[in-house]
Amino acid sequence: MTFERLVAIRRALHQIPEPGFHEFKTQNMILSELSQMDLTNKLEIKRWESGLFVKIPGSNPEKTIGYRADIDGLPMKEETGLSFASTHEEMMHACGHDFHMTIALGLIAKLLTHNLKNDVVVIFQPAEEGPGGALPILKSEEFKPFRPDEIYSLHIAPELETGVVSTKPGTLFANTSELFIDLKGTGGHAAYPHLTEDMAVAASHFVTQLQSIVARNVAPLDSAVVTIGKMTAGTKQNIIADSARIEGTIRTLSDETMNDIKSRIEGIMAGIEASFRCTASLDYGSNYCQVYNNDPLTSEFMRHIQDQRTAKLHEADIAMTGEDFGYFLRDIPGMMCWLGVDSLTGLHTPTLNPNETALETGVNVFTEWILFRDEHE
């Protein structure tokens, strides 16, 4: 597949970002691309929800090598001004999943030109941004015939220059949990606060107290994040709010710290209920486990990059980002890496604009790696 074709596919996918488990236009576009490259009907393709499992059968398989690409977009308005900007209002591929899908398609096209000994399975996974597609895939009956013995993936890195691949053995990304808290009190007229239980005030105290958790309940040499990204309360400046909603995220490097933070949040919530004579409910939403790279496979991948020189290798630092690819790595040996795309703005921003020359880097790196793994146990 030529670079020009990769760019055309990426731009077409970029225009149709869709929410998790609703990526049906995306699914159909991927199927169309697969049909054009699968001229000998070699591929085995299975729809799963709004995603796909694609198998390239080997000539004498002793194992299955897996590769995963996520396919959903984010609910945000694009502000890039690009000629191929999103045509779906308030949706954008602001996390690079258009790149991820395109690289996976380029990888399939290249592997089809080789005589593989082992099976290769490429997973086009829905709902990575939420509510999470990896865990349901792993639990599904449809996945069993496609389940790989080892699995790999990449994620674009705006801050890294194009041509760079960055990874490390062990923990790469954090454990993550969403956080949704609803407070219910008694509203009323702003002139009679003594007759109310003000949930704007209660929510403000709650958010302030949450900031003490990392500072005073997490060991100084450990790492954790509790971030509140959204807080809503009230309807008008002279009406005391009878309800408030707090939305945020928790990120830790260990399961134990995640459990400790959740316990502390629940303790603070009980105190808020008592202090402000209100009721509170809590929902942890989607929870993703850490991305933990298999040590032998990751070390071998890093040596392979240096030997083949398909990219510049950087050793990564641990990031507090979340990725549900961690569920695959919890069950199946494998690895994830960063792919440099040299964007002036970062992930989850409305102006993310990755360098498209990274598409070829991603395809070449993982084609060579899978061919190498095809020849080695």
Side-chain angles (χ1 to χ4, degrees):
M1 186 179 289
T2 65
F3 172 65
E4 289 74 20
R5 185 64 193 145
L6 289 172
V7 169
I9 292 170
R10 180 260 161 161
R11 293 183 178 187
L13 288 167
H14 185 82
Q15 291 183 297
I16 57 166
E18 297 169 288
F21 291 125
H22 293 83
E23 307 97 327
F24 295 108
K25 283 186 182 179
T26 301
Q27 184 188 59
N28 287 333
M29 184 174 291
I30 293 169
L31 285 168
S32 176
E33 291 299 326
L34 292 172
S35 69
Q36 293 177 53
M37 68 177 74
D38 186 23
L39 301 179
T40 59
N41 295 316
K42 186 175 182 179
L43 297 176
E44 296 177 20
I45 302 173
K46 176 71 175 178
R47 292 177 187 251
W48 180 84
E49 299 289 341
S50 48
L52 295 164
F53 309 145
V54 182
K55 180 186 284 187
I56 309 172
S59 59
N60 186 26
E62 297 176 356
K63 66 179 179 180
T64 299
I65 305 166
Y67 184 85
R68 173 273 208 169
D70 39 13
I71 69 173
D72 54 327
L74 280 163
M76 60 191 304
K77 184 176 181 179
E78 182 166 348
E79 297 175 4
T80 60
L82 295 168
S83 61
F84 54 89
S86 171
T87 59
H88 290 179
E89 189 175 353
E90 304 299 327
M91 289 295 299
M92 179 186 173
H93 271 304
C95 199
H97 296 187
D98 51 341
F99 264 60
H100 302 172
M101 288 183 279
T102 303
I103 289 167
L105 286 166
L107 174 64
I108 293 170
K110 275 207 165 186
L111 292 176
L112 281 170
T113 66
H114 290 81
N115 183 27
L116 296 168
K117 179 180 74 172
N118 293 294
D119 293 341
V120 173
V121 165
V122 176
I123 302 157
F124 290 94
Q125 181 213 302
E128 190 280 324
E129 297 292 352
L135 198 55
I137 283 175
L138 287 162
K139 292 179 177 179
S140 71
E141 287 296 315
E142 297 92 333
F143 186 57
K144 287 182 179 178
F146 295 88
R147 186 183 179 91
D149 299 295
E150 55 191 75
I151 191 165
Y152 306 97
S153 188
L154 63 75
H155 200 298
I156 67 163
E159 70 279 7
L160 296 178
E161 65 180 283
T162 306
V164 167
V165 165
S166 180
T167 192
K168 65 179 291 294
T171 302
L172 184 67
F173 295 170
N175 300 278
T176 67
S177 173
E178 295 177 333
L179 177 64
F180 303 100
I181 297 165
D182 288 290
L183 302 176
K184 301 290 184 183
T186 304
H189 197 292
Y192 305 102
H194 58 294
L195 301 178
T196 71
E197 304 298 340
D198 190 339
M199 291 304 98
V201 175
S204 299
H205 278 262
F206 200 167
V207 171
T208 300
Q209 290 185 50
L210 288 177
Q211 303 314 304
S212 70
I213 295 175
V214 173
R216 287 294 174 266
N217 301 118
V218 175
L221 297 182
D222 195 359
S223 293
V225 173
V226 178
T227 294
I228 300 303
K230 183 178 180 181
M231 183 170 70
T232 55
T235 57
K236 200 172 187 292
Q237 85 280 0
N238 61 351
I239 300 174
I240 290 174
D242 65 354
S243 64
R245 183 170 173 85
I246 299 164
E247 300 182 11
T249 180
I250 312 165
R251 295 162 190 264
T252 71
L253 295 183
S254 73
D255 292 337
E256 182 181 4
T257 302
M258 177 65 75
N259 292 334
D260 288 346
I261 287 176
K262 287 182 175 180
S263 176
R264 190 73 189 95
I265 289 171
E266 290 159 18
I268 292 172
M269 187 173 76
I272 292 292
E273 287 182 300
S275 299
F276 291 91
R277 294 181 293 194
C278 64
T279 60
S281 61
L282 185 152
D283 179 7
Y284 290 118
S286 296
N287 289 254
Y288 293 172
C289 68
Q290 64 183 337
V291 171
Y292 192 90
N293 285 339
N294 177 273
D295 194 333
L297 288 173
T298 306
S299 297
E300 188 176 43
F301 174 81
M302 295 172 77
R303 287 193 298 270
H304 181 77
I305 293 289
Q306 291 175 316
D307 292 343
Q308 295 296 313
R309 299 184 180 180
T310 47
K312 299 175 186 176
L313 179 67
H314 287 186
E315 182 152 0
D317 294 322
I318 297 173
M320 299 304 281
T321 44
E323 241 285 358
D324 75 344
F325 185 64
Y327 287 114
F328 284 109
L329 294 182
R330 190 176 65 180
D331 283 10
I332 303 167
M335 178 220 65
M336 173 171 262
C337 68
W338 291 109
L339 175 70
V341 294
D342 196 23
S343 172
L344 293 176
T345 54
L347 300 172
H348 292 215
T349 65
T351 53
L352 175 73
N353 187 17
N355 186 330
E356 291 175 326
T357 59
L359 294 168
E360 277 194 314
T361 303
V363 172
N364 291 338
V365 163
F366 276 96
T367 299
E368 293 301 319
W369 172 243
I370 289 175
L371 291 175
F372 175 81
R373 291 300 303 157
D374 184 51
E375 297 172 358
H376 295 79
E377 293 304 318

